[in-house]
Amino acid sequence: MSGGPGKSGLTPELERSYDLCRKIARAHGKTYSMAARLLDAEQRRHVHAVYAFCRVADDIVDEAGERDLAQTRAALAEFGRRFDADLAAGYSDHPVLAAVVHTAHTLHIDPDCFTRFMRSMSMDLDTAKYDTWADLMDYMDGSAAVIGEMMLPVLRPRDKAALRPARDLGVAFQLTNFLRDVGEDLERGRVYLPQEDLWRFGADPQARTVTPEWRALMRFEIARNREIYAAADTGIPMLAGRSARCVHTARVLYSQILERIEAADYDVFTARARVPGRRKLAVAARSMLGRAPGHRSGHGPGRAPGSPADPTAAT
């Protein structure tokens, strides 16, 4: 039989589920896990649960190249049905979903967020490229912006206006992933750069070669990515201390991937742009010891964290 609630107030089953989610997050989302350490224990476990839900679904999709597409589609649909049923019941005995359902109910996360996420995961089984930026944004609504929506209750914003910047940050993070992972996505038969942009610049990712056209394309995409980060920055002052530090840390670290891409002369085919572990620790330490981002003198929406004027961006 199950024991009663432990010191955390959770049943042993829930504690095991949250612990598994934590291990999944630490294994696959090192930057997010690093930033989440700045949150309190309850917030951290909710971050891990949301991350693990997304990761499990994403892993099912990524296995499409290793097994029959129909089997992958069925596995993804079954995962979605299982979650929907458990969410409606308010309880799950699934190793990962137990924590996810508990988090969703505790934080009152809109079930539509999970539905939209699963829709985008299904799109990955049918769509290999996106003709326009608008088409890509439709996909990213469920695969990226919605992650910001799900995380927002964890962060306890002081202003409802934080919703739009949270969505923007989710999009900015994923666009950074797309720019970093062009080579890896090609291996899966996918291109997440809008076809209209490739045509405009005359760039061909399939050639896996850094050409003047490729550099021009990447400069354009990185500039657009930074504009989205700047829009997301307006939400940081709407968060309390720990939450602001967490988001600031994740934002600074993730956006520095763009600098690594530039330093590699936009070669995203032969090596993966990474921020060293010691750099992550340094940024997290500065965030922990400093004042809450967005509240110090001279730091407003017009100055993005991670810009040269921001001490956390120093090399």
Side-chain angles (χ1 to χ4, degrees), residues 298-311:
H299 184 97
R303 179 176 294 165
S307 68
D310 185 344

Side-chain angles (χ1 to χ4, degrees), residues 32-231:
Y32 290 111
S33 294
M34 178 72 69
R37 293 181 188 180
L38 301 176
L39 300 173
D40 64 40
E42 182 181 6
Q43 289 176 298
R44 281 198 304 274
R45 67 174 177 244
H46 292 317
V47 168
H48 296 154
V50 172
Y51 182 93
F53 173 82
C54 298
R55 184 70 199 194
V56 170
D58 194 53
D59 283 348
I60 292 173
V61 172
D62 284 344
E63 290 172 3
E66 302 173 10
R67 60 185 177 185
D68 182 80
L69 181 60
Q71 292 178 322
T72 300
R73 198 184 307 279
L76 184 65
E78 176 55 31
F79 180 72
R81 283 193 295 268
R82 172 69 183 270
F83 173 73
D84 289 342
D86 291 351
L87 186 65
Y91 166 81
S92 177
D93 57 8
H94 184 279
V96 169
L97 295 183
V100 183
V101 168
H102 182 263
T103 284
H105 278 276
T106 300
L107 300 180
H108 306 289
I109 298 175
D110 187 345
D112 182 61
C113 289
F114 298 98
T115 300
R116 285 154 52 208
F117 176 79
M118 293 302 292
R119 171 182 174 268
S120 285
M121 292 300 97
S122 296
M123 289 173 68
D124 271 329
L125 299 178
D126 302 306
T127 307
K129 61 184 180 180
Y130 296 86
D131 288 340
T132 68
W133 174 248
D135 293 335
L136 184 62
M137 284 296 290
D138 178 58
Y139 167 79
M140 293 174 77
D141 170 72
S143 65
V146 79
I147 308 301
E149 292 182 49
M150 288 193 280
M151 288 294 187
L152 199 55
V154 180
L155 301 172
R156 306 164 188 163
R158 297 178 292 200
D159 192 325
K160 291 182 179 179
L163 177 61
R164 178 60 182 271
R167 285 175 51 83
D168 286 336
L169 189 59
V171 170
F173 283 161
Q174 186 166 64
L175 185 55
T176 299
N177 279 343
F178 289 161
L179 296 176
R180 178 194 63 191
D181 297 338
V182 171
E184 293 179 21
D185 290 332
L186 285 172
E187 296 295 331
R188 299 187 178 104
R190 301 178 197 147
V191 176
Y192 288 108
L193 301 178
Q195 295 296 302
E196 64 181 2
D197 295 346
L198 298 178
W199 299 329
R200 173 184 172 187
F201 290 97
D204 180 14
Q206 301 288 348
R208 300 174 184 265
T209 303
V210 177
T211 63
E213 294 79 11
W214 181 256
R215 293 187 185 96
L217 168 75
M218 290 295 285
R219 289 190 193 102
F220 172 78
E221 301 296 355
I222 287 174
R224 174 154 58 186
N225 201 164
R226 285 178 171 143
E227 288 179 0
I228 301 172
Y229 274 118

